[in-house]
Amino acid sequence: PPALYAHALNVQGRCLYDVILYRLHGSTAEEPHILLECDSSVLDSIQKHLKLYKIRRKVTITPCPDLSLWAVIPGEQPRDTSSLPKSADQAVLLTPDPRAEVMGWRLIAKKGANLSEIIPGSQVGDVQDYHRHRYKQGIPEGVKDLPPGVALPLESNLAFMNGISFTKGCYIGQELTARTHHMGVIRKRLLPVRFPAPLPSPGIAEGAEILTESGKPAGKFRAGGGELGIALLRLAHVNEPLCMTLGGDRVKLSATTPEWWPKAAAK
C-alpha cells in the first residue's frame, strides 16, 4: 500500500509515537524511499528513536522542511477516491488516509503549492477544522491524544484503525498487545465526547476525571477543543449521563460510539 499507519511501542506495550509511513519508490527494484509523518512536537525524539535501531544499516534519516502536509476531508457527500487527481506537479503524494475512510485523504505537497490546482473545487480550512473532524469521529493523533508511555494500543482503538498487525511477528511491546487481543477483554476505550457548549479557555486538563451521575468513576478526559473531545471511558458507562467538575462547576457531557467502528466493537 502507498500509506501505512504504524506505532512505536515501549517494552510495556504502551504507545510512544504514532506515525504514517508513505512509500515513495515505485517498485522493489528502486532504492526504498519512505516518508514518515509524525507529530511535529516529537520530531527530534523520534529521530533519535529511529537512529537507535538503525544499527549500522545504510539508512539515512532526514527531516523534510520543504514539504507540507494536508488532510483532504470529505464533505457531506463524499466523492469516490477515483474523482481525486492521482498526480500533479505540485503534489508529492495523494493517498487515502490509512486509518479510516472517514478521514479522507492525505496530501503531501511542496511548500507553497496551490491547493486549488491540485484539488479543484476544494475549500481551504484551518487546523482547528481538522481537529474538530478528528474528535467528532473519535480518531486520536499525536502525543496529546496518545500520551507516550501511557496510552495502550487496543484501548486507543488502533486495531480498528489498521494500526496493529497480529501476524507481523515479534516487535517491542508485542507480547502484551497480542495477549490482550486474544483474551478479548478490553474494558476501556477512547471515545468521542461532546459538551453542551464550547468550553472556556484554557479548556480541560489532560487526565481530568469523568464521573457518572451517581458519582462512579467512568474514565478520564484525554484532549479536545470547543465542545468536542476524546476520553478514555469504561465501556460499561458509555450510555449513561456523564459529568465532570470544571472550575468548581459540574459540567455534563455525553459519549458516542463512532459509526465507522466494526459493529461487534460497539457492544
Side-chain angles (χ1 to χ4, degrees), residues 22-259:
Y22 302 94
R23 178 168 50 83
L24 299 182
H25 54 284
S27 70
T28 52
E30 296 179 45
E31 187 178 12
H33 283 82
I34 304 293
L35 191 61
L36 183 147
E37 174 197 330
C38 69
D39 187 329
S40 59
S41 67
V42 296
L43 182 60
D44 291 337
S45 56
I46 203 168
Q47 285 183 85
K48 290 176 183 175
H49 182 79
L50 292 171
K51 287 173 181 175
L52 183 67
Y53 292 98
K54 193 172 75 166
I55 313 173
R56 297 186 183 181
R57 290 180 181 252
K58 293 181 180 179
V59 176
T60 305
I61 301 166
T62 313
C64 300
D66 58 326
L67 298 178
S68 60
L69 170 71
W70 297 83
V72 185
I73 303 298
E76 294 300 320
Q77 299 294 326
R79 295 178 294 174
D80 183 71
T81 52
S82 61
S83 66
L84 285 174
K86 293 298 178 188
S87 62
D89 291 341
Q90 301 177 80
V92 175
L93 197 71
L94 180 62
T95 183
D97 192 307
R99 298 171 294 182
E101 190 176 350
V102 292
M103 290 305 293
W105 303 269
R106 302 304 262 188
L107 168 65
I108 296 168
K110 296 168 185 174
K111 273 259 171 79
N114 188 334
L115 272 273
S116 61
E117 289 182 10
I118 300 174
I119 306 178
S122 60
Q123 295 179 328
V124 178
D126 60 29
V127 71
Q128 295 309 318
D129 294 328
Y130 171 68
H131 291 315
R132 281 182 58 82
H133 180 75
R134 280 201 308 105
Y135 290 136
K136 190 176 179 182
Q137 301 296 342
I139 301 278
E141 182 181 288
V143 294
K144 281 190 175 180
D145 298 354
L146 300 165
V150 175
L152 285 165
L154 294 171
E155 288 184 350
S156 304
N157 309 318
L158 304 186
F160 301 163
M161 298 161 58
N162 305 307
I164 305 175
S165 170
F166 295 105
T167 58
K168 179 179 182 294
C170 190
Y171 54 87
I172 292 175
Q174 180 256 350
E175 186 178 337
L176 178 68
T177 305
R179 187 168 70 240
T180 305
H181 170 69
H182 291 301
M183 286 174 64
V185 180
I186 301 167
R187 294 186 174 87
K188 295 182 286 184
R189 286 192 181 275
L190 274 184
L191 288 160
V193 294
R194 181 182 287 269
F195 297 88
L199 297 170
S201 187
I204 303 172
E206 181 190 315
E209 192 165 31
I210 298 173
L211 305 170
T212 64
E213 276 195 327
S214 61
K216 291 181 180 178
K220 292 185 177 180
F221 186 79
R222 189 59 68 74
E227 76 280 16
L228 300 172
I230 54 173
L232 185 66
L233 296 172
R234 296 180 186 277
L235 294 175
H237 300 306
V238 167
N239 297 318
E240 297 180 32
L242 303 172
C243 64
M244 59 192 311
T245 303
L246 188 61
D249 297 324
R250 206 177 195 195
V251 179
K252 292 184 178 181
L253 68 152
S254 59
T256 53
T257 301
E259 291 184 4

